[in-house]
């Protein structure tokens, strides 16, 4: 959903170094956690499907205010988990940049943005389910929250970095970016609702895919009632 569509050389060198370093650090931490803790077989399959779906919808760009699109990172985070979700964000951004959708130099920044969406959506979904929310509102709210976090992070990265060659003062740039963030927040609600329907359907046919198998077994009656 949130994605920095600026071209190569748009950010100053110091900003590229900072965001790339943070992106590498995040991916390194994720890979370390994956190698240390391992991943379940069904998560690998979900990660593959999620990466393909995310990459496909990623390319459907609406040329409004620099470009907006859905990317299903909230759904990916809920299904594949925060670790694989972050890796999927990296992979999708690499292949998208190879097609000219996003600058190669901004891979670090865009990975941070999209990985944050998956991570926040996952933990928000788990938290809401522990609070006994129903699947649809929990997944829709979690995805919207994750995508909103990514939108705000995207805006912050652009404003902090500044844009090379832009004639806009920092204050005007902030206003312009705020409009872009607001537009992305609107798309986040739409994508959140879509995610809610998808997760609700999966929960009805395969609750184990969304981590609800234990919850369903706990809700089944275990004794004889009068």
């Amino acid at each position: 959903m949130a994605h920095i569509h600026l071209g190569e050389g748009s950010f100053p060198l110091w900003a590229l170094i900072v965001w790339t370093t943070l992106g590498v650090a995040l991916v390194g931490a994720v890979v370390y956690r994956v190698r240390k803790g391992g991943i379940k077989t069904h998560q690998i399959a979900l990660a593959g499907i999620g990466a393909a779906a995310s990459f496909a919808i990623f390319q459907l760009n609406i040329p409004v205010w620099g470009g907006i699109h859905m990317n299903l990172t909230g759904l990916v985070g809920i299904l594949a988990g925060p670790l694989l979700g972050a890796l999927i964000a990296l992979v999708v951004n690499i292949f998208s940049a190879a097609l000219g959708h996003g600058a190669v130099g901004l891979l670090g920044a865009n990975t941070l943005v999209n990985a944050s969406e998956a991570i926040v959506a996952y933990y928000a979904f788990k938290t809401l389910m522990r609070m006994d929310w129903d699947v649809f509102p929990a997944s829709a709210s979690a995805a919207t929250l994750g995508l909103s976090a990514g939108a705000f992070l995207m805006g912050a990265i652009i404003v902090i970095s500044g844009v090379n060659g832009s004639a806009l003062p920092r204050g005007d740039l902030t206003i312009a970016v705020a409009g872009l963030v607001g537009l992305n927040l609107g798309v986040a609600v739409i994508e959140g609702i879509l995610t809610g329907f998808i997760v609700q359907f999966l929960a009805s046919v395969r609750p184990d895919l969304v981590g609800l198998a234990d919850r369903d077994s706990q809700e089944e009656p275990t004794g004889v009632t009068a």
Side-chain angles (χ1 to χ4, degrees):
M1 204 273 306
H3 191 250
I4 302 173
H5 292 98
L6 299 174
E8 300 289 356
S10 297
F11 280 2
L13 181 58
W14 70 264
L16 293 179
I17 294 174
V18 169
W19 306 127
T20 300
T21 300
L22 291 176
V24 170
L26 173 63
V27 172
V30 167
V31 171
Y32 173 78
R33 288 283 304 275
V34 169
R35 295 188 64 179
K36 183 178 180 180
I39 53 179
K40 298 178 182 179
T41 303
H42 79 274
Q43 286 183 305
I44 298 176
L46 286 173
I49 296 172
S54 179
F55 175 74
I57 200 167
F58 212 80
Q59 310 314 312
L60 302 178
N61 192 45
I62 302 174
V64 176
W65 216 318
I68 58 172
H69 54 76
M70 294 190 291
N71 55 25
L72 301 181
T73 44
L75 176 64
V76 166
I78 292 172
L79 297 182
L83 301 181
L84 289 179
L87 293 180
I88 289 171
L90 171 64
V91 171
V92 170
N93 272 291
I94 289 175
F95 280 100
S96 295
L99 295 178
H101 186 171
V104 174
L106 298 180
L107 279 175
N110 278 323
T111 297
L112 287 172
V113 170
N114 298 137
S116 70
E117 295 172 341
I119 293 170
V120 171
Y122 172 82
Y123 286 109
F125 177 69
K126 293 300 182 182
T127 299
L128 294 176
M129 292 306 295
R130 283 195 295 268
M131 295 170 62
D132 290 328
W133 281 43
D134 290 333
V135 174
F136 176 79
S139 54
S141 299
T144 302
L145 183 61
L147 296 169
S148 299
F152 281 114
L153 179 57
M154 174 196 68
I157 288 175
I158 296 175
V159 172
I160 291 172
S161 303
V163 180
N164 285 334
S166 174
L168 290 176
R170 188 59 60 96
D172 292 341
L173 176 63
T174 302
I175 294 174
V177 171
L180 176 61
V181 170
L183 189 61
N184 276 271
L185 291 178
V187 178
V189 174
I190 298 173
E191 186 172 339
I193 294 173
L194 176 62
T195 298
F197 282 120
I198 295 174
V199 175
Q200 184 181 47
F201 171 75
L202 291 175
S204 67
V205 295
R206 286 289 303 275
D208 57 301
L209 294 182
V210 290
L212 299 179
D214 295 338
R215 186 190 189 196
D216 289 347
S217 63
Q218 292 174 359
E219 291 177 352
E220 292 177 356
T222 55
V224 178
T225 58

